[in-house]
Each structure stands twice: as structure tokens, then as C-alpha cells.
Amino acid sequence: MSPTPTGRILGGDLVLTRSFRAPVADVWASLTEPERTARWFGPWKGDAAPGSTIRVQMIQEEGRPWMDMTIDACEPPRRLALSAVDDHGSWHLDMVLTEAGGVTELRFTQHLSGTENVGEVGPGWEYYLDLLVASRDGAPFPSFDDYYPAMKEHFESQR
């Protein structure tokens, strides 16, 4: 498989989009319900309210680590913003859903603190979002080896 990178650096943001032939409420559930996030990113636990911190397991990462994520905004079924700090830096994520004509678009944005690691981060988000698509479609999961380092140059060339 040779996935095509879609992400763009716009100002200080890394922006990726995916479209789904599904109502916005169904796509929202894939982003927010623990049993559905477990299918593609990982399960989570905690109080799901703005300002609260939840624990998220990253099942695709080595060791399947848990990390704390703060819910910065939750506006069902349109917007979810999360932030976290880990050994790789700080993460400020914003997911916005729009629906038109039976198609829901996810606009995934990572607000970057710099572009020095975008060659690694961009392919990672492409991979995770394609896992989301595959989990919703019941399709086989892609391999991260098809994303990195193959997509690295696409993202680094936008710095």
C-alpha cells in the first residue's frame, strides 16, 4: 500500500482532513466514545468534560502507553480540542466536524509549537486518521511502515 499524504502546514498548524459517508453524530462517536476510539487510537477513561484530564491508551505505540490528555473544548457533535505534554513535546489538537449532503468532514489540526519534528509527526497523524477510516469501514488496518519514512519529505518540504 502506498498512501498519499494529505496534510498541509498552514501558518503554525498541521491540518489534515478526512471525509466519511456518515452523519456527523456517528463520526463524533468514533472520536469520543471509548469503545469506538479503542478500535483505532486507544481506549480512554476519566471524566469527559471540558477542563478535565482523561487517560488515553495509545494502542498503536510500542508498549501501549497511557497518557494524560486535557479536554480543552467539547462541543458535541462538532468540535473536540485536546492537549497533552509527553516526552516528545506538547500536543494541542483540534478536531472539527462539518456535515453536508450526508458526508461528514473531519478537519484535524495540530497547533504546532515549531516545525522541527513535522517530518515524523505528519506521517503519524496520516496513519492514525487512516486507522480511523479503516475502523469505520471494517477494512484492514494499514501498516505504519507505509507512512514513515515515505511521507517525511512531503511534510518537511512545507517548513
Side-chain angles (χ1 to χ4, degrees):
M1 179 180 166
S2 256
T4 302
T6 63
R8 299 283 178 256
I9 297 176
L10 304 172
D13 295 333
L14 172 61
V15 180
L16 302 99
T17 59
R18 295 294 186 275
S19 295
F20 306 90
R21 290 204 165 279
V24 68
D26 186 52
V27 179
W28 176 258
S30 292
L31 299 176
T32 59
E33 293 179 4
E35 63 277 358
R36 303 231 356 226
T37 62
R39 297 177 195 166
W40 64 280
F41 190 84
W44 62 269
K45 56 188 174 182
D47 179 22
S52 295
T53 298
I54 59 173
R55 302 267 304 148
V56 180
Q57 186 177 28
M58 300 179 65
I59 63 171
Q60 303 300 327
E61 303 299 321
E62 184 176 332
R64 300 168 62 98
W66 287 84
M67 77 183 295
D68 291 338
M69 297 193 90
T70 300
I71 300 173
D72 298 318
C74 183
E75 302 161 12
R78 303 281 180 211
R79 179 173 178 245
L80 177 64
L82 304 166
S83 59
V85 176
D86 67 11
D87 295 341
H88 303 287
S90 57
W91 305 86
H92 299 279
L93 312 174
D94 202 354
M95 292 159 272
V96 176
L97 298 172
T98 55
E99 181 183 2
V103 175
T104 298
E105 180 181 90
L106 166 62
R107 180 180 172 104
F108 178 96
T109 303
Q110 179 178 343
H111 303 291
L112 301 170
S113 56
T115 59
E116 58 276 352
N117 295 324
V118 76
E120 291 79 31
V121 172
W125 288 125
E126 295 277 7
Y127 171 68
Y128 274 111
L129 293 177
D130 285 351
L131 287 173
L132 170 61
V133 171
S135 76
R136 291 184 51 80
D137 292 346
F141 278 5
S143 168
F144 184 67
D145 293 340
D146 293 330
Y147 292 77
Y148 185 83
M151 292 184 180
K152 184 176 181 174
E153 179 58 30
H154 169 82
F155 290 95
E156 288 184 345
S157 69
Q158 297 180 59
R159 294 196 305 195

